[in-house]
Amino acid sequence: MTGAALRAFAPAKVNLYLHVAPPTPDGMHPVASLMVFADVGDTLTAEAGGRGITLQVHGHFAPDLAGLDPDRNLIVRAARRLAELAGTPEPDLAFWLDKALPTAAGLGGGSSDAGAALRLTAAVLGLAADDPRLEQVAGEMGADGPACLAARPVLGTGRGDILSAPPRLPPIHAVLVNCGALSLTGAVYRAYDDAGAPGDAEPLALAHDLDAAALVSGLSGGRNDLEAPAAALTPAVADTLALVAQQPQARLTRLSGSGATVFALCDDAVAARALADRIATLKPDWWVRRCQLGGPWPQG
């Protein structure tokens, strides 16, 4: 890589529904989830130079990663692993992450950052964007890694890593709300199992070419099986769900992933703006973002 820095957008992932079956003998949970991506997220920049692969983190939520060894960060791990599979020496590559998404939030932030790192590293190494080694490494980073690498609407089954095209979706106007509480994925899954893991991994049957009203109606027949255990473990999650659902602009309110971020689908951009302004006024210390869901979004 020579010249100007390369930049990639790492969008927030939102699970419009998440059906979770009891664990298999290997301890993994089969799932079915319709995943979409927001036009808000982190930004990752890569520049040639330094010695080996390095990472510096800036932005509003950078302090949340202050105690993490950079070598354990998914950005560094993904870039090194891709270079290894490509049979090349570790490139001299400095990453700068603008961390705009909250952590432990159910938004796939780490996996999306890794996906951005893979796209940038592939460009540096001269690999095609559809080189299968990128998806292999993304899967090694986590079950939602392949979806976050694709960063476009997908239906995930299996562990969430078997991807297929969803029905054609309309523009989705939404609001993301995070109260600042941590919702740890492992603890939520353990609570789900302790409750008997009552869900299943059947995909939700949705009509094709949905409009906004039909999408909300169809999604109402689904659920997030991790919502109840996350809310039981973290009462602030339950409070967030209740507050957002009370607002007249919220047509569908649900937890994303294992939380703690709640999303609300709205009729249009005007309703989403009104909802975001209302929540921000009521809870000025919360992270609240109006967004559009879908993807892929422009890079940079």
Side-chain angles (χ1 to χ4, degrees), residues 194-293:
D194 289 345
D200 61 66
E202 290 299 317
L204 185 63
L206 294 173
H208 288 271
D209 295 324
L210 297 159
D211 62 20
L215 176 63
V216 168
S217 177
L219 290 173
S220 297
R223 60 196 187 276
N224 179 348
D225 287 327
L226 300 183
E227 186 171 290
L233 283 175
T234 309
V237 170
D239 294 342
T240 307
L241 282 161
L243 178 64
V244 176
Q246 289 169 5
Q247 308 309 312
Q249 300 89 355
R251 297 297 183 223
L252 177 77
T253 302
R254 188 167 285 165
L255 196 68
S256 181
S258 57
T261 302
V262 170
F263 69 89
L265 303 188
C266 302
D267 288 338
D268 52 33
V270 174
R273 181 184 296 276
L275 175 58
D277 289 347
R278 172 66 173 163
I279 298 298
T281 299
L282 292 171
K283 299 291 183 178
D285 295 333
W286 287 8
W287 183 83
V288 181
R289 293 293 183 274
R290 176 175 58 90
C291 66
Q292 187 169 326
L293 301 178

Side-chain angles (χ1 to χ4, degrees), residues 83-154:
E84 177 186 0
L85 288 180
T88 66
E90 180 176 318
D92 295 328
L93 190 58
F95 284 113
W96 296 70
L97 177 65
D98 181 1
K99 188 63 185 169
L101 295 177
T103 58
L107 297 175
S111 294
S112 194
D113 292 344
L118 288 171
R119 293 191 291 273
L120 293 177
T121 306
V124 170
L125 299 179
L127 303 179
D130 60 353
D131 189 303
R133 287 171 289 192
L134 275 71
E135 186 169 349
Q136 177 183 338
V137 176
E140 293 175 4
M141 297 301 106
D144 60 355
C148 290
L149 173 65
R152 64 178 186 273
V154 290

Side-chain angles (χ1 to χ4, degrees), residues 145-164:
C148 290
L149 173 65
R152 64 178 186 273
V154 290
L155 173 64
T157 55
R159 295 173 54 237
D161 56 347
I162 301 174
L163 307 182
S164 58

Side-chain angles (χ1 to χ4, degrees), residues 28-62:
M28 302 305 298
H29 293 79
V31 305
S33 183
L34 177 54
M35 292 173 275
V36 293
F37 291 82
D39 58 358
V40 297
D42 298 338
T43 302
L44 185 66
T45 303
E47 292 183 313
R51 179 174 297 177
I53 295 171
T54 62
L55 172 66
Q56 294 191 48
V57 183
H58 304 272
H60 184 79
F61 290 101

